[in-house]
Amino acid sequence: MRLGVLDIGSNTVHLLVMDAHRGARPLPAYSHKVELRLAEHMEDGERLSEEGAARLRGHVEEALRVAEDKGVEDLMAFATSAVREAVNGEEVLADLNARAEVDIQVLSGQDEARLTFLAVRRWFGWSSGRLLVLDIGGGSLEIASGIDEQPDVAISLPLGAGRLTRDRFSADPPSPEEIRALRRHVRAEIARRVGDVARYGRADHAVATSKTFRQLARITGAAPSSEGNVRRVLRHTELVEWTGRLAEMDPRARAGLPGVSEGRAPQLPA
């Protein structure tokens, strides 16, 4: 069966088409992605503007046309942080679902963390032991840990790269004072929940997903996507070295780094 998954995130609207058969791994067939940056279309930081809703509808309708063209038989559609937290998110989705004749569901932060964990478990298998899964999106940070297919703990924190950039930095490059303030904020937020993760024991395998982590890994020397399914590692010591350099660069310089897109370059210091 040809399936389609439509992911409406804080940064992008992404349609992934795949061929799925019972008992076999899904095979990606086509990917269609457009940058939307819903967070930039929030009025007073909490309400999706009419322009943002119209752009969202346009991109979703475009994705649905692509899905039909690619022979998708069944479509799953979901929205994450930006729509979930907008005060008019349900209203916008109800209108979109009616106009486009689609059923877009909103994922809670915990469900987002659980589903990401399940995908990582299926990919790495049981031999990977206890997993620690980290995912940085535009609006939130998901953390999950466990030994089974369902995690022992699944957490979502308002620490997405886009959100922190928008809320905590007034200029690009940001000032040293803003960087220190952001570091304190992030550490305090994580410190409140780290015990929920640590009490289950040390992870055997830490896995980082999402475009943000991929770009950070590329900057520190990981293989590009063109090399296929090879092991890519993001090392703490190398990341610490790059953190200061990224904060001092302007967006154009960041966009020139390996694997960094122009649209996401402003988010990298956060």
Side-chain angles (χ1 to χ4, degrees), residues 229-256:
N229 183 26
V230 298
R231 189 166 183 258
R232 296 174 175 87
V233 177
L234 176 60
R235 293 180 173 84
H236 177 259
T237 53
E238 295 172 353
L239 182 59
V240 168
E241 177 185 342
W242 268 98
T243 300
R245 296 169 64 181
L246 288 170
E248 294 172 354
M249 292 179 175
D250 61 38
R252 182 177 299 179
R254 287 185 219 117

PDB file of all heavy atoms in Angstrom, residues 229-256:
ATOM      1  N   ASN A 229      22.991   5.794   4.093  1.00  0.00           N
ATOM      2  CA  ASN A 229      22.754   5.358   5.465  1.00  0.00           C
ATOM      3  C   ASN A 229      24.062   4.938   6.131  1.00  0.00           C
ATOM      4  O   ASN A 229      24.388   3.764   6.241  1.00  0.00           O
ATOM      5  CB  ASN A 229      21.756   4.198   5.475  1.00  0.00           C
ATOM      6  CG  ASN A 229      21.418   3.753   6.878  1.00  0.00           C
ATOM      7  OD1 ASN A 229      21.515   4.529   7.818  1.00  0.00           O
ATOM      8  ND2 ASN A 229      21.024   2.491   7.008  1.00  0.00           N
ATOM      9  N   VAL A 230      24.822   5.929   6.580  1.00  0.00           N
ATOM     10  CA  VAL A 230      26.063   5.664   7.305  1.00  0.00           C
ATOM     11  C   VAL A 230      25.926   6.245   8.714  1.00  0.00           C
ATOM     12  O   VAL A 230      25.085   7.104   8.969  1.00  0.00           O
ATOM     13  CB  VAL A 230      27.282   6.284   6.593  1.00  0.00           C
ATOM     14  CG1 VAL A 230      27.449   5.668   5.220  1.00  0.00           C
ATOM     15  CG2 VAL A 230      27.134   7.801   6.478  1.00  0.00           C
ATOM     16  N   ARG A 231      26.760   5.785   9.621  1.00  0.00           N
ATOM     17  CA  ARG A 231      26.685   6.248  11.007  1.00  0.00           C
ATOM     18  C   ARG A 231      27.160   7.692  11.103  1.00  0.00           C
ATOM     19  O   ARG A 231      28.237   8.038  10.609  1.00  0.00           O
ATOM     20  CB  ARG A 231      27.533   5.337  11.893  1.00  0.00           C
ATOM     21  CG  ARG A 231      27.348   5.586  13.391  1.00  0.00           C
ATOM     22  CD  ARG A 231      27.955   4.429  14.172  1.00  0.00           C
ATOM     23  NE  ARG A 231      27.737   4.583  15.606  1.00  0.00           N
ATOM     24  CZ  ARG A 231      28.669   5.000  16.455  1.00  0.00           C
ATOM     25  NH1 ARG A 231      29.893   5.289  16.013  1.00  0.00           N
ATOM     26  NH2 ARG A 231      28.407   5.104  17.742  1.00  0.00           N
ATOM     27  N   ARG A 232      26.367   8.519  11.758  1.00  0.00           N
ATOM     28  CA  ARG A 232      26.716   9.918  11.950  1.00  0.00           C
ATOM     29  C   ARG A 232      26.698  10.221  13.446  1.00  0.00           C
ATOM     30  O   ARG A 232      25.715   9.939  14.112  1.00  0.00           O
ATOM     31  CB  ARG A 232      25.743  10.829  11.202  1.00  0.00           C
ATOM     32  CG  ARG A 232      25.809  10.649   9.686  1.00  0.00           C
ATOM     33  CD  ARG A 232      24.743  11.453   8.963  1.00  0.00           C
ATOM     34  NE  ARG A 232      24.900  11.362   7.526  1.00  0.00           N
ATOM     35  CZ  ARG A 232      24.378  10.403   6.776  1.00  0.00           C
ATOM     36  NH1 ARG A 232      23.642   9.454   7.333  1.00  0.00           N
ATOM     37  NH2 ARG A 232      24.576  10.379   5.474  1.00  0.00           N
ATOM     38  N   VAL A 233      27.761  10.796  13.934  1.00  0.00           N
ATOM     39  CA  VAL A 233      27.923  11.012  15.372  1.00  0.00           C
ATOM     40  C   VAL A 233      28.099  12.498  15.650  1.00  0.00           C
ATOM     41  O   VAL A 233      28.833  13.202  14.944  1.00  0.00           O
ATOM     42  CB  VAL A 233      29.139  10.231  15.916  1.00  0.00           C
ATOM     43  CG1 VAL A 233      29.338  10.517  17.396  1.00  0.00           C
ATOM     44  CG2 VAL A 233      28.939   8.727  15.679  1.00  0.00           C
ATOM     45  N   LEU A 234      27.406  12.977  16.669  1.00  0.00           N
ATOM     46  CA  LEU A 234      27.577  14.342  17.157  1.00  0.00           C
ATOM     47  C   LEU A 234      28.236  14.258  18.525  1.00  0.00           C
ATOM     48  O   LEU A 234      27.637  13.743  19.473  1.00  0.00           O
ATOM     49  CB  LEU A 234      26.221  15.044  17.253  1.00  0.00           C
ATOM     50  CG  LEU A 234      26.212  16.465  17.837  1.00  0.00           C
ATOM     51  CD1 LEU A 234      27.086  17.397  17.001  1.00  0.00           C
ATOM     52  CD2 LEU A 234      24.790  16.994  17.929  1.00  0.00           C
ATOM     53  N   ARG A 235      29.466  14.747  18.630  1.00  0.00           N
ATOM     54  CA  ARG A 235      30.234  14.641  19.870  1.00  0.00           C
ATOM     55  C   ARG A 235      30.132  15.935  20.676  1.00  0.00           C
ATOM     56  O   ARG A 235      30.237  17.040  20.129  1.00  0.00           O
ATOM     57  CB  ARG A 235      31.700  14.321  19.574  1.00  0.00           C
ATOM     58  CG  ARG A 235      31.893  12.937  18.983  1.00  0.00           C
ATOM     59  CD  ARG A 235      33.355  12.639  18.694  1.00  0.00           C
ATOM     60  NE  ARG A 235      33.542  11.267  18.278  1.00  0.00           N
ATOM     61  CZ  ARG A 235      33.370  10.861  17.018  1.00  0.00           C
ATOM     62  NH1 ARG A 235      33.013  11.715  16.077  1.00  0.00           N
ATOM     63  NH2 ARG A 235      33.556   9.594  16.715  1.00  0.00           N
ATOM     64  N   HIS A 236      29.964  15.768  21.976  1.00  0.00           N
ATOM     65  CA  HIS A 236      29.784  16.914  22.867  1.00  0.00           C
ATOM     66  C   HIS A 236      30.959  17.875  22.811  1.00  0.00           C
ATOM     67  O   HIS A 236      30.778  19.102  22.749  1.00  0.00           O
ATOM     68  CB  HIS A 236      29.580  16.409  24.306  1.00  0.00           C
ATOM     69  CG  HIS A 236      29.468  17.500  25.312  1.00  0.00           C
ATOM     70  ND1 HIS A 236      30.517  17.872  26.119  1.00  0.00           N
ATOM     71  CD2 HIS A 236      28.435  18.314  25.627  1.00  0.00           C
ATOM     72  CE1 HIS A 236      30.129  18.866  26.902  1.00  0.00           C
ATOM     73  NE2 HIS A 236      28.876  19.153  26.637  1.00  0.00           N
ATOM     74  N   THR A 237      32.179  17.352  22.815  1.00  0.00           N
ATOM     75  CA  THR A 237      33.356  18.231  22.833  1.00  0.00           C
ATOM     76  C   THR A 237      33.414  19.099  21.581  1.00  0.00           C
ATOM     77  O   THR A 237      33.734  20.293  21.656  1.00  0.00           O
ATOM     78  CB  THR A 237      34.645  17.393  22.936  1.00  0.00           C
ATOM     79  OG1 THR A 237      34.648  16.397  21.891  1.00  0.00           O
ATOM     80  CG2 THR A 237      34.733  16.709  24.284  1.00  0.00           C
ATOM     81  N   GLU A 238      33.069  18.525  20.433  1.00  0.00           N
ATOM     82  CA  GLU A 238      33.097  19.290  19.188  1.00  0.00           C
ATOM     83  C   GLU A 238      31.952  20.294  19.142  1.00  0.00           C
ATOM     84  O   GLU A 238      32.101  21.415  18.624  1.00  0.00           O
ATOM     85  CB  GLU A 238      33.027  18.339  17.991  1.00  0.00           C
ATOM     86  CG  GLU A 238      34.254  17.445  17.886  1.00  0.00           C
ATOM     87  CD  GLU A 238      34.094  16.377  16.823  1.00  0.00           C
ATOM     88  OE1 GLU A 238      32.971  16.262  16.283  1.00  0.00           O
ATOM     89  OE2 GLU A 238      35.061  15.661  16.536  1.00  0.00           O
ATOM     90  N   LEU A 239      30.798  19.909  19.698  1.00  0.00           N
ATOM     91  CA  LEU A 239      29.658  20.815  19.704  1.00  0.00           C
ATOM     92  C   LEU A 239      29.937  22.030  20.590  1.00  0.00           C
ATOM     93  O   LEU A 239      29.598  23.168  20.226  1.00  0.00           O
ATOM     94  CB  LEU A 239      28.411  20.081  20.190  1.00  0.00           C
ATOM     95  CG  LEU A 239      27.112  20.890  20.195  1.00  0.00           C
ATOM     96  CD1 LEU A 239      26.785  21.402  18.801  1.00  0.00           C
ATOM     97  CD2 LEU A 239      25.964  20.044  20.732  1.00  0.00           C
ATOM     98  N   VAL A 240      30.549  21.803  21.741  1.00  0.00           N
ATOM     99  CA  VAL A 240      30.888  22.913  22.636  1.00  0.00           C
ATOM    100  C   VAL A 240      31.821  23.894  21.931  1.00  0.00           C
ATOM    101  O   VAL A 240      31.679  25.120  22.036  1.00  0.00           O
ATOM    102  CB  VAL A 240      31.534  22.386  23.933  1.00  0.00           C
ATOM    103  CG1 VAL A 240      32.141  23.528  24.734  1.00  0.00           C
ATOM    104  CG2 VAL A 240      30.499  21.647  24.770  1.00  0.00           C
ATOM    105  N   GLU A 241      32.779  23.359  21.191  1.00  0.00           N
ATOM    106  CA  GLU A 241      33.720  24.219  20.463  1.00  0.00           C
ATOM    107  C   GLU A 241      32.991  25.088  19.437  1.00  0.00           C
ATOM    108  O   GLU A 241      33.302  26.268  19.276  1.00  0.00           O
ATOM    109  CB  GLU A 241      34.761  23.344  19.770  1.00  0.00           C
ATOM    110  CG  GLU A 241      35.742  24.142  18.917  1.00  0.00           C
ATOM    111  CD  GLU A 241      36.679  23.240  18.138  1.00  0.00           C
ATOM    112  OE1 GLU A 241      36.804  22.052  18.510  1.00  0.00           O
ATOM    113  OE2 GLU A 241      37.279  23.730  17.163  1.00  0.00           O
ATOM    114  N   TRP A 242      31.990  24.509  18.768  1.00  0.00           N
ATOM    115  CA  TRP A 242      31.279  25.238  17.724  1.00  0.00           C
ATOM    116  C   TRP A 242      30.229  26.197  18.277  1.00  0.00           C
ATOM    117  O   TRP A 242      29.838  27.156  17.605  1.00  0.00           O
ATOM    118  CB  TRP A 242      30.602  24.252  16.766  1.00  0.00           C
ATOM    119  CG  TRP A 242      31.471  23.907  15.605  1.00  0.00           C
ATOM    120  CD1 TRP A 242      32.266  22.809  15.458  1.00  0.00           C
ATOM    121  CD2 TRP A 242      31.650  24.687  14.426  1.00  0.00           C
ATOM    122  NE1 TRP A 242      32.928  22.852  14.265  1.00  0.00           N
ATOM    123  CE2 TRP A 242      32.568  23.998  13.597  1.00  0.00           C
ATOM    124  CE3 TRP A 242      31.132  25.900  13.993  1.00  0.00           C
ATOM    125  CZ2 TRP A 242      32.962  24.488  12.361  1.00  0.00           C
ATOM    126  CZ3 TRP A 242      31.531  26.393  12.749  1.00  0.00           C
ATOM    127  CH2 TRP A 242      32.433  25.693  11.953  1.00  0.00           C
ATOM    128  N   THR A 243      29.752  25.971  19.496  1.00  0.00           N
ATOM    129  CA  THR A 243      28.678  26.797  20.042  1.00  0.00           C
ATOM    130  C   THR A 243      29.044  28.274  20.041  1.00  0.00           C
ATOM    131  O   THR A 243      28.276  29.128  19.587  1.00  0.00           O
ATOM    132  CB  THR A 243      28.327  26.346  21.465  1.00  0.00           C
ATOM    133  OG1 THR A 243      27.893  24.994  21.432  1.00  0.00           O
ATOM    134  CG2 THR A 243      27.219  27.198  22.045  1.00  0.00           C
ATOM    135  N   GLY A 244      30.224  28.588  20.545  1.00  0.00           N
ATOM    136  CA  GLY A 244      30.659  29.981  20.579  1.00  0.00           C
ATOM    137  C   GLY A 244      30.849  30.558  19.187  1.00  0.00           C
ATOM    138  O   GLY A 244      30.512  31.726  18.939  1.00  0.00           O
ATOM    139  N   ARG A 245      31.370  29.757  18.276  1.00  0.00           N
ATOM    140  CA  ARG A 245      31.621  30.248  16.916  1.00  0.00           C
ATOM    141  C   ARG A 245      30.312  30.547  16.193  1.00  0.00           C
ATOM    142  O   ARG A 245      30.200  31.557  15.486  1.00  0.00           O
ATOM    143  CB  ARG A 245      32.433  29.210  16.144  1.00  0.00           C
ATOM    144  CG  ARG A 245      33.815  28.981  16.713  1.00  0.00           C
ATOM    145  CD  ARG A 245      34.504  27.776  16.119  1.00  0.00           C
ATOM    146  NE  ARG A 245      34.759  27.934  14.695  1.00  0.00           N
ATOM    147  CZ  ARG A 245      35.335  26.995  13.933  1.00  0.00           C
ATOM    148  NH1 ARG A 245      35.687  25.841  14.469  1.00  0.00           N
ATOM    149  NH2 ARG A 245      35.553  27.215  12.670  1.00  0.00           N
ATOM    150  N   LEU A 246      29.297  29.694  16.382  1.00  0.00           N
ATOM    151  CA  LEU A 246      28.015  29.911  15.724  1.00  0.00           C
ATOM    152  C   LEU A 246      27.362  31.204  16.198  1.00  0.00           C
ATOM    153  O   LEU A 246      26.743  31.932  15.416  1.00  0.00           O
ATOM    154  CB  LEU A 246      27.081  28.729  15.990  1.00  0.00           C
ATOM    155  CG  LEU A 246      27.408  27.421  15.276  1.00  0.00           C
ATOM    156  CD1 LEU A 246      26.542  26.290  15.818  1.00  0.00           C
ATOM    157  CD2 LEU A 246      27.212  27.559  13.775  1.00  0.00           C
ATOM    158  N   ALA A 247      27.492  31.479  17.485  1.00  0.00           N
ATOM    159  CA  ALA A 247      26.863  32.674  18.050  1.00  0.00           C
ATOM    160  C   ALA A 247      27.524  33.956  17.552  1.00  0.00           C
ATOM    161  O   ALA A 247      26.894  35.018  17.540  1.00  0.00           O
ATOM    162  CB  ALA A 247      26.924  32.620  19.570  1.00  0.00           C
ATOM    163  N   GLU A 248      28.785  33.873  17.134  1.00  0.00           N
ATOM    164  CA  GLU A 248      29.496  35.059  16.658  1.00  0.00           C
ATOM    165  C   GLU A 248      29.306  35.292  15.158  1.00  0.00           C
ATOM    166  O   GLU A 248      29.541  36.400  14.668  1.00  0.00           O
ATOM    167  CB  GLU A 248      30.985  34.930  16.974  1.00  0.00           C
ATOM    168  CG  GLU A 248      31.296  34.927  18.466  1.00  0.00           C
ATOM    169  CD  GLU A 248      32.746  34.612  18.762  1.00  0.00           C
ATOM    170  OE1 GLU A 248      33.483  34.285  17.792  1.00  0.00           O
ATOM    171  OE2 GLU A 248      33.140  34.690  19.936  1.00  0.00           O
ATOM    172  N   MET A 249      28.861  34.270  14.433  1.00  0.00           N
ATOM    173  CA  MET A 249      28.688  34.402  12.984  1.00  0.00           C
ATOM    174  C   MET A 249      27.383  35.120  12.654  1.00  0.00           C
ATOM    175  O   MET A 249      26.408  35.032  13.407  1.00  0.00           O
ATOM    176  CB  MET A 249      28.635  33.013  12.332  1.00  0.00           C
ATOM    177  CG  MET A 249      29.914  32.240  12.355  1.00  0.00           C
ATOM    178  SD  MET A 249      29.657  30.617  11.566  1.00  0.00           S
ATOM    179  CE  MET A 249      31.308  29.971  11.571  1.00  0.00           C
ATOM    180  N   ASP A 250      27.351  35.791  11.505  1.00  0.00           N
ATOM    181  CA  ASP A 250      26.077  36.320  11.039  1.00  0.00           C
ATOM    182  C   ASP A 250      25.360  35.210  10.269  1.00  0.00           C
ATOM    183  O   ASP A 250      25.961  34.178   9.926  1.00  0.00           O
ATOM    184  CB  ASP A 250      26.270  37.569  10.189  1.00  0.00           C
ATOM    185  CG  ASP A 250      27.090  37.327   8.923  1.00  0.00           C
ATOM    186  OD1 ASP A 250      26.936  36.259   8.296  1.00  0.00           O
ATOM    187  OD2 ASP A 250      27.883  38.202   8.553  1.00  0.00           O
ATOM    188  N   PRO A 251      24.057  35.360   9.998  1.00  0.00           N
ATOM    189  CA  PRO A 251      23.289  34.285   9.345  1.00  0.00           C
ATOM    190  C   PRO A 251      23.867  33.839   8.010  1.00  0.00           C
ATOM    191  O   PRO A 251      23.832  32.654   7.671  1.00  0.00           O
ATOM    192  CB  PRO A 251      21.898  34.902   9.179  1.00  0.00           C
ATOM    193  CG  PRO A 251      21.811  35.945  10.224  1.00  0.00           C
ATOM    194  CD  PRO A 251      23.202  36.494  10.374  1.00  0.00           C
ATOM    195  N   ARG A 252      24.405  34.794   7.232  1.00  0.00           N
ATOM    196  CA  ARG A 252      24.957  34.422   5.925  1.00  0.00           C
ATOM    197  C   ARG A 252      26.157  33.490   6.079  1.00  0.00           C
ATOM    198  O   ARG A 252      26.298  32.520   5.317  1.00  0.00           O
ATOM    199  CB  ARG A 252      25.357  35.687   5.157  1.00  0.00           C
ATOM    200  CG  ARG A 252      25.904  35.403   3.763  1.00  0.00           C
ATOM    201  CD  ARG A 252      26.210  36.681   3.017  1.00  0.00           C
ATOM    202  NE  ARG A 252      25.003  37.487   2.840  1.00  0.00           N
ATOM    203  CZ  ARG A 252      24.991  38.663   2.227  1.00  0.00           C
ATOM    204  NH1 ARG A 252      26.123  39.183   1.753  1.00  0.00           N
ATOM    205  NH2 ARG A 252      23.863  39.328   2.092  1.00  0.00           N
ATOM    206  N   ALA A 253      27.000  33.771   7.066  1.00  0.00           N
ATOM    207  CA  ALA A 253      28.159  32.913   7.292  1.00  0.00           C
ATOM    208  C   ALA A 253      27.722  31.532   7.758  1.00  0.00           C
ATOM    209  O   ALA A 253      28.285  30.513   7.330  1.00  0.00           O
ATOM    210  CB  ALA A 253      29.091  33.556   8.320  1.00  0.00           C
ATOM    211  N   ARG A 254      26.728  31.474   8.634  1.00  0.00           N
ATOM    212  CA  ARG A 254      26.223  30.174   9.088  1.00  0.00           C
ATOM    213  C   ARG A 254      25.647  29.366   7.926  1.00  0.00           C
ATOM    214  O   ARG A 254      25.821  28.148   7.843  1.00  0.00           O
ATOM    215  CB  ARG A 254      25.154  30.357  10.155  1.00  0.00           C
ATOM    216  CG  ARG A 254      25.677  30.794  11.495  1.00  0.00           C
ATOM    217  CD  ARG A 254      24.574  30.833  12.530  1.00  0.00           C
ATOM    218  NE  ARG A 254      24.739  31.978  13.416  1.00  0.00           N
ATOM    219  CZ  ARG A 254      23.888  32.973  13.527  1.00  0.00           C
ATOM    220  NH1 ARG A 254      22.750  32.960  12.856  1.00  0.00           N
ATOM    221  NH2 ARG A 254      24.139  33.975  14.335  1.00  0.00           N
ATOM    222  N   ALA A 255      24.926  30.061   7.040  1.00  0.00           N
ATOM    223  CA  ALA A 255      24.304  29.365   5.909  1.00  0.00           C
ATOM    224  C   ALA A 255      25.340  28.775   4.955  1.00  0.00           C
ATOM    225  O   ALA A 255      25.016  27.890   4.156  1.00  0.00           O
ATOM    226  CB  ALA A 255      23.384  30.320   5.149  1.00  0.00           C
ATOM    227  N   GLY A 256      26.579  29.249   5.049  1.00  0.00           N
ATOM    228  CA  GLY A 256      27.637  28.707   4.209  1.00  0.00           C
ATOM    229  C   GLY A 256      28.315  27.484   4.793  1.00  0.00           C
ATOM    230  O   GLY A 256      29.169  26.874   4.139  1.00  0.00           O
TER     231      GLY A 256
END
